[in-house]
């Protein structure tokens, strides 16, 4: 019994992986594998084919064939057992049973085949044993990595101690300055270790006031401040708890890390993610009081036109840095949209809000919670919701027109944006049938990217304003049903909202000049689809 070769081939005859176990020229094995697809018949029950010289024993794996080429004197029962073992190993090493997945793990599959078959004969091994043999663990390698990691950890400890000493000196110096407002950013050129979204708002003085629903902030937030002349800004004398700062690295540390990189080691450095890449990464607060207006869109549009679901949920959040600014009331102005229903927090004075559009606590002697911890949106003061089926108020509509012509499907997609909103960071994700290569994009307004793993075509437009309220993209793929291109998912953000809510003033209850405050406003998509 001799196995000449173990191979994985496509149904068209393309060889993806082939391992030979006897001396054989490349021309001969290529000739044997090229002849196999022509010999495979349709509607047959057996999975072997015999020719004058060799026997093919095969098993279909989705769109591929797992194939053993043996001589005719081999025991077919043993060959089938070998084939069954290989069929269990292939999914263990390949994340997807297609051409791309097999090619990416070709060497791992070859090593696994070598553990199962030796000089053409099957070894008595199990799947677990093959995986263990292929791991090739080395005690010396583990020891080297442990020593190297201990050096890196020791260097990081030195860096943290240096940073802590610099922080203390900065704090002591800041306490000596009177009447000056020192922002977090002025306390060093370092970075904040913890994400803003991982903090929790502490109740400053009175318990039981829960925070509202949290949400993230992007760089597309519209911010404005109203400053008072009669009152100096409050002083932030110390950074909040849990915020470490890395104020730089010493020259010795830099040289050590550079030497490690030169030796080929991968040094993972903690890097603060950019705000444009994560909605949860909010800019650090520098104003004593910050009010955040956010609306989330949940929209489902029909592919033939019309609105299946349109839901807007908005929140107004409050964040206060210093406890002395906690005794306040917030006066707001809404856009007068009759379709929006507002609901205040249970601890708010509903009568005061209904009569004067002022948000204040029921107990005026109780301050609002203070501190930078908690959700990115702060303490929830007000919520609102709007539902409609009016297609005219939809910010962005998508039309998809697939048509089959011969052996190709021509797809034309166009968008139309409302003049009310300027949309930013627009991403339109179109699902595609499984493709071997990227689609042929013939025309696009913006940029496109093909995600081959998820088979999704992403159409990106950085900004949609009065200069490009409409746009289109055309691409060509192999023949496919029109339902394959749905549902289409859309993501975007805007700096104005449906409620058009604005903060007019922050009123101190105990008298004095109005404190400085800032408002941040954004509209984002939570689930926006065309089905």
């Amino acid at each position: 019994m001799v196995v000449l070769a173990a191979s994985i081939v496509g149904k068209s005859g393309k060889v993806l992986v082939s391992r030979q176990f006897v001396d054989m020229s490349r021309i001969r094995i290529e000739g044997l594998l090229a002849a196999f697809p022509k010999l495979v018949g349709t509607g047959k029950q057996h999975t072997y084919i015999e020719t004058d010289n060799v026997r093919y024993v095969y098993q279909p794996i989705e769109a591929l064939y797992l194939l053993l080429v043996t001589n005719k004197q081999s025991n077919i029962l043993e060959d089938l057992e070998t084939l069954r073992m290989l069929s269990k190993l292939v999914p263990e090493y390949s994340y997807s049973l297609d051409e791309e997945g097999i090619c990416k793990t070709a060497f791992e599959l070859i090593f696994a085949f070598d553990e199962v078959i030796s000089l053409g004969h099957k070894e008595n091994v199990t799947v677990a044993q093959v995986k263990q043999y292929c791991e090739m663990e080395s005690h010396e390698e583990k020891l080297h990595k442990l020593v190297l990691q201990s050096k890196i950890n020791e260097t990081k400890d030195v860096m943290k101690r240096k940073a802590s000493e610099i922080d203390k000196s900065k704090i002591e110096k800041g306490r000596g300055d009177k009447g000056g407002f020192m922002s977090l950013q002025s306390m060093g050129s370092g970075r904040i270790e913890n994400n803003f979204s991982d903090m929790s708002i502490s109740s400053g003085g009175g318990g039981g006031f829960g925070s509202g629903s949290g949400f993230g902030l992007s760089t597309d937030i519209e911010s404005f401040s109203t400053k008072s002349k009669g009152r100096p800004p409050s002083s932030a004398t110390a950074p909040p708890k849990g915020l470490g700062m890395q104020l730089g690295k010493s020259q010795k540390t830099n040289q050590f890390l550079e030497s490690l990189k030169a030796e080929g080691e991968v040094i993972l450095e903690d890097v603060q993610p950019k705000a444009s890449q994560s909605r949860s990464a909010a800019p650090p607060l520098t104003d004593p009081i910050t009010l955040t207006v956010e609306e989330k869109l949940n929209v489902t549009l029909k592919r033939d036109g019309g609105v299946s679901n349109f839901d807007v949920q908005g929140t107004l959040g409050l964040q206060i840095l210093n406890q002395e600014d906690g005794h306040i009331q917030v006066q707001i102005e809404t856009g007068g949209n009759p379709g929006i229903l507002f609901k205040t927090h249970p601890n708010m004075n509903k009568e005061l809000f209904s009569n004067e559009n002022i948000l204040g606590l029921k107990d005026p002697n109780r301050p609002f919670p203070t501190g930078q911890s908690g959700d990115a949106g702060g303490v929830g003061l007000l919520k609102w919701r709007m539902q409609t089926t009016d297609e005219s108020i939809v910010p962005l509509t998508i039309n998809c027109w697939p048509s089959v012509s011969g052996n190709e499907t021509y797809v034309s997609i166009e968008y139309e944006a409302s003049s009310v909103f300027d949309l930013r960071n627009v991403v339109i994700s179109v699902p595609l049938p499984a493709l071997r290569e990227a689609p042929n994009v013939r025309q696009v307004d913006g940029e496109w990217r093909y995600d081959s793993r998820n088979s999704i075509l992403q159409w990106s437009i950085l900004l949609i304003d009065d200069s490009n309220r409409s746009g289109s993209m055309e691409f060509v793929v192999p023949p496919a049903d029109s339902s394959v291109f749905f549902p289409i998912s859309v993501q975007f953000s805007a700096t104005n909202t449906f409620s058009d809510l604005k903060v007019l003033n922050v009123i101190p209850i105990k008298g004095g000049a109005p404190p400085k405050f800032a408002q941040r406003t954004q509209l984002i998509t939570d689930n926006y689809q065309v089905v």
Side-chain angles (χ1 to χ4, degrees):
M1 181 191 72
V2 176
V3 177
L4 305 180
S7 309
I8 300 177
V9 300
K11 291 191 175 181
S12 61
K14 182 178 181 180
V15 182
L16 305 181
V17 174
S18 182
R19 174 60 170 159
Q20 290 69 250
F21 300 100
V22 297
D23 290 335
M24 184 184 302
S25 65
R26 178 177 176 178
I27 296 177
R28 173 163 170 74
I29 185 60
E30 287 181 347
L32 292 174
L33 295 178
F36 169 71
K38 302 175 184 178
L39 300 174
V40 176
T42 58
K44 294 183 180 180
Q45 296 292 331
H46 56 270
T47 57
Y48 73 93
I49 301 171
E50 288 190 357
T51 64
D52 295 336
N53 300 317
V54 297
R55 177 189 295 134
Y56 298 96
V57 185
Y58 63 94
Q59 177 178 333
I61 303 180
E62 295 187 3
L64 307 173
Y65 284 113
L66 177 61
L67 174 65
L68 290 181
V69 182
T70 70
N71 57 20
K72 296 183 67 173
Q73 290 75 33
S74 67
N75 188 333
I76 191 170
L77 295 179
E78 293 288 341
D79 295 340
L80 290 173
E81 183 64 28
T82 304
L83 184 67
R84 189 177 298 110
M85 172 63 70
L86 296 182
S87 67
K88 294 179 182 178
L89 284 174
V90 171
E92 293 288 337
Y93 289 95
S94 179
Y95 66 89
S96 62
L97 299 178
D98 55 12
E99 181 177 338
E100 181 182 3
I102 296 296
C103 291
K104 284 187 176 181
T105 57
F107 287 102
E108 288 81 358
L109 291 172
I110 290 176
F111 297 151
F113 287 177
D114 283 344
E115 297 297 334
V116 177
I117 303 172
S118 176
L119 299 176
H121 299 275
K122 180 181 181 299
E123 295 286 344
N124 188 19
V125 293
T126 63
V127 174
Q129 288 175 332
V130 171
K131 293 182 68 175
Q132 182 180 2
Y133 297 158
C134 290
E135 284 179 359
M136 296 185 297
E137 293 187 358
S138 170
H139 177 71
E140 289 77 8
E141 182 183 5
K142 287 184 178 180
L143 182 62
H144 171 73
K145 288 184 177 180
L146 288 175
V147 173
L148 184 61
Q149 187 62 41
S150 65
K151 292 180 180 180
I152 295 175
N153 293 337
E154 183 180 354
T155 304
K156 287 184 177 181
D157 291 339
V158 174
M159 292 162 56
K160 288 181 180 179
R161 287 197 299 269
K162 294 289 184 182
S164 179
E165 293 175 2
I166 298 175
D167 285 345
K168 290 179 181 179
S169 63
K170 292 282 186 179
I171 293 171
E172 294 297 330
K173 183 179 180 181
R175 287 176 179 173
D177 299 334
K178 296 182 180 180
F181 179 75
M182 181 172 59
S183 67
L184 292 177
Q185 294 177 346
S186 67
M187 297 177 67
S189 60
R191 53 164 180 79
I192 298 179
E193 295 282 351
N194 299 330
N195 284 341
F196 184 75
S197 60
D198 294 332
M199 312 170 197
S200 59
I201 290 185
S202 60
S203 55
F209 190 84
S211 65
S213 60
F215 43 80
L217 299 174
S218 69
T219 54
D220 302 327
I221 295 175
E222 177 186 16
S223 175
F224 68 91
S225 302
T226 55
K227 301 180 181 179
S228 59
K229 298 181 180 179
R231 178 176 177 179
S234 302
S235 173
T237 58
K241 289 185 178 181
L243 293 182
M245 296 187 183
Q246 180 180 354
L247 300 180
K249 302 177 182 178
S250 65
Q251 184 178 1
K252 183 178 179 181
T253 303
N254 284 334
Q255 292 177 352
F256 176 73
L257 293 179
E258 291 297 331
S259 64
L260 291 180
K261 292 180 181 179
E263 295 175 2
E265 296 294 336
V266 179
I267 307 300
L268 300 178
E269 298 182 356
D270 297 331
V271 179
Q272 177 87 2
K274 295 183 179 180
S276 60
Q277 298 175 351
S278 174
R279 288 178 179 171
S280 62
L285 301 180
T286 57
D287 296 287
I289 298 173
T290 302
L291 293 116
T292 305
V293 179
E294 184 187 70
E295 288 184 352
K296 293 184 178 181
L297 275 175
N298 286 277
V299 179
T300 304
L301 304 177
K302 300 176 182 178
R303 67 182 72 176
D304 298 326
V307 179
S308 177
N309 176 55
F310 187 92
D311 183 57
V312 180
Q313 296 185 14
T315 54
L316 173 63
L318 171 67
Q319 285 179 301
I320 303 174
L321 287 183
N322 305 297
Q323 190 171 0
E324 58 267 21
D325 295 324
H327 295 85
I328 58 172
Q329 292 178 337
V330 180
Q331 185 176 10
I332 65 172
E333 177 186 52
T334 61
N337 191 329
I340 296 180
L341 301 176
F342 291 93
K343 287 186 179 181
T344 58
H345 191 279
N347 288 350
M348 307 300 292
N349 190 333
K350 292 181 173 59
E351 184 177 354
L352 181 64
F353 173 71
S354 301
N355 297 333
E356 304 180 35
N357 274 355
I358 294 179
L359 295 168
L361 295 174
K362 292 179 181 178
D363 184 2
N365 296 321
R366 179 181 175 185
F368 282 104
T370 59
Q372 262 201 53
S373 58
D375 295 329
V379 179
L381 304 182
L382 187 67
K383 292 184 178 181
W384 60 93
R385 187 173 186 178
M386 183 182 74
Q387 292 179 315
T388 184
T389 57
D390 184 6
E391 190 175 5
S392 62
I393 68 171
V394 174
L396 188 68
T397 58
I398 307 294
N399 294 317
C400 181
W401 301 87
S403 60
V404 180
S405 177
N407 293 327
E408 294 180 326
T409 300
Y410 294 84
V411 183
S412 177
I413 300 179
E414 62 179 0
Y415 72 81
E416 292 184 9
S418 170
S419 60
V420 179
F421 299 94
D422 288 346
L423 308 180
R424 305 185 181 188
N425 301 322
V426 182
V427 179
I428 303 171
S429 301
V430 184
L432 301 180
L435 302 176
R436 294 186 176 181
E437 55 186 15
N440 179 15
V441 178
R442 298 190 173 184
Q443 184 270 331
V444 61
D445 294 329
E447 298 179 354
W448 66 276
R449 172 183 172 271
Y450 176 59
D451 183 359
S452 58
R453 174 169 295 185
N454 299 314
S455 192
I456 292 176
L457 179 62
Q458 294 181 339
W459 179 15
S460 303
I461 305 101
L462 189 61
L463 174 65
I464 297 179
D465 54 14
D466 291 335
S467 63
N468 59 343
R469 292 294 177 190
S470 63
S472 62
M473 177 176 65
E474 295 180 2
F475 61 91
V476 180
V477 295
D481 187 75
S482 61
S483 60
V484 173
F485 305 101
F486 295 93
I488 300 174
S489 300
V490 184
Q491 293 178 333
F492 59 80
S493 63
T495 55
N496 51 336
T497 59
F498 285 92
S499 63
D500 199 22
L501 188 146
K502 291 182 174 61
V503 178
L504 298 181
N505 194 16
V506 174
I507 306 169
I509 297 178
K510 295 185 178 181
K516 173 188 174 184
F517 73 92
Q519 176 180 341
R520 297 172 174 175
T521 305
Q522 72 168 356
L523 170 72
I524 60 174
T525 56
D526 190 24
N527 185 18
Y528 200 108
Q529 288 188 333
V530 182
V531 299

